[in-house]
């Protein structure tokens, strides 16, 4: 999606030059020539970034910056001829994300624009892989594969889901009703022996594969995926 940059700059030569370079980089550009106009255009346009001069008529850049920050976190880069540290501090305290002193190299400004936009972009949640690895066992829910001792084992969906659920919390005991609720859903009206049947079928696929883990019955309670420490699964398993 094309990003919009609002330039608030009373020096028309600088504003035009910025517009040319930003458009060449694929940005949509709008311009204002004083602080009051810039603030009004900001409120109308809601740009992705504001390039904001400090010394301007009507409202100076610091006042515009504070007004924007009163209701928004839109990225702001301040442009000024003042290079004193106190001026930079004042700009940053007003809420600016960056500060560049005139005269500046256009390549540097474009790099700063890109960096500020990148920092302000909302983080994309990383999809968590649903793959567990134990000694001689891989439970891959993304590929829907059960690999036991290096061999792919054809496994029905509910058996895969049951094993993955238990192995995701090693050594935790689940009752039959908990497993029914989580794997079959609250609306399932079947007998809790359904869990027993599925556990039995899963056990048949995993029997005597590893000495470090096992699908265990906790009599009078339910089931757990019991794990001992081992080099391949020092925390009971790895989810990747």
């Amino acid at each position: 999606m094309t990003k919009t940059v609002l330039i608030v700059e009373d020096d028309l030569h600088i504003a035009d030059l910025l517009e040319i370079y930003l458009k060449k980089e694929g940005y949509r550009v709008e311009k204002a020539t004083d602080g009051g106009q810039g603030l009004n255009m900001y409120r109308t346009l809601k740009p992705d970034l504001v390039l904001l001069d400090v010394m301007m008529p009507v409202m100076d850049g610091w006042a515009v910056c504070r007004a924007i920050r009163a209701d928004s976190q839109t990225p702001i880069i301040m442009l000024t001829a003042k290079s004193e540290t106190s001026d930079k501090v004042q700009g940053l305290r007003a809420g600016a994300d960056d500060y560049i002193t005139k005269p500046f190299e256009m390549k540097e400004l474009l790099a700063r624009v890109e960096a500020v936009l990148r920092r302000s972009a909302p983080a994309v949640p990383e999809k968590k892989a649903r793959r567990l690895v134990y000694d001689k066992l891989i439970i891959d829910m993304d590929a829907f594969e059960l690999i036991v001792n290096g061999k792919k084992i054809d496994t029905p969906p509910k058996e895969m889901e049951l094993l993955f659920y238990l192995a995701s919390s090693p050594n935790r005991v689940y009752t039959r009703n908990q497993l029914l609720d989580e794997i079959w859903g609250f609306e399932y009206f079947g007998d809790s022996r359904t869990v027993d049947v599925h556990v039995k079928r899963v056990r048949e696929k995993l029997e005597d594969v590893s000495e470090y883990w096992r699908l265990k019955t906790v009599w009078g309670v339910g089931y757990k995926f019991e794990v001992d420490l081992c080099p391949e699964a020092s925390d009971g398993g790895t989810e990747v």
Side-chain angles (χ1 to χ4, degrees), residues 77 98-101 103-115:
I77 298 177
D98 204 350
Y99 191 110
I100 191 165
T101 304
F104 48 79
E105 290 288 336
M106 198 58 65
K107 286 184 179 179
E108 180 185 0
L109 183 131
L110 292 172
R112 287 175 183 250
V113 166
E114 184 180 338

Side-chain angles (χ1 to χ4, degrees), residues 102-162:
K102 301 175 185 176
F104 48 79
E105 290 288 336
M106 198 58 65
K107 286 184 179 179
E108 180 185 0
L109 183 131
L110 292 172
R112 287 175 183 250
V113 166
E114 184 180 338
V116 168
L117 283 172
R118 186 170 57 247
R119 289 198 303 268
S120 66
V124 177
E126 218 176 289
K127 183 183 176 184
K128 190 174 182 181
R130 300 178 66 214
R131 187 174 186 268
L132 294 172
V133 179
Y134 287 91
D135 177 51
K136 301 178 185 177
L137 175 67
I138 299 173
I139 311 163
D140 191 336
M141 295 301 290
D142 290 327
F144 231 87
E145 290 181 348
L146 178 64
I147 300 173
V148 180
N149 213 4
K151 295 180 180 179
K152 182 180 174 182
I153 306 296
D154 290 333
T155 308
K158 287 301 180 204
E159 291 179 28
M160 283 283 293
E161 291 174 28
L162 176 63

Side-chain angles (χ1 to χ4, degrees), residues 61-81:
W62 291 316
V64 175
C65 184
R66 285 192 294 270
I68 291 173
R69 278 292 169 267
D71 62 4
S72 169
Q73 292 303 311
T74 299
I76 299 170
I77 298 177
M78 302 203 77
L79 313 173
T80 180

Side-chain angles (χ1 to χ4, degrees), residues 215-232:
L215 195 53
K216 187 172 181 179
T217 301
V218 180
W219 297 109
V221 183
Y223 298 99
K224 69 175 177 177
F225 189 83
E226 188 174 75
V227 174
D228 301 324
L229 294 181
C230 69
E232 293 81 4

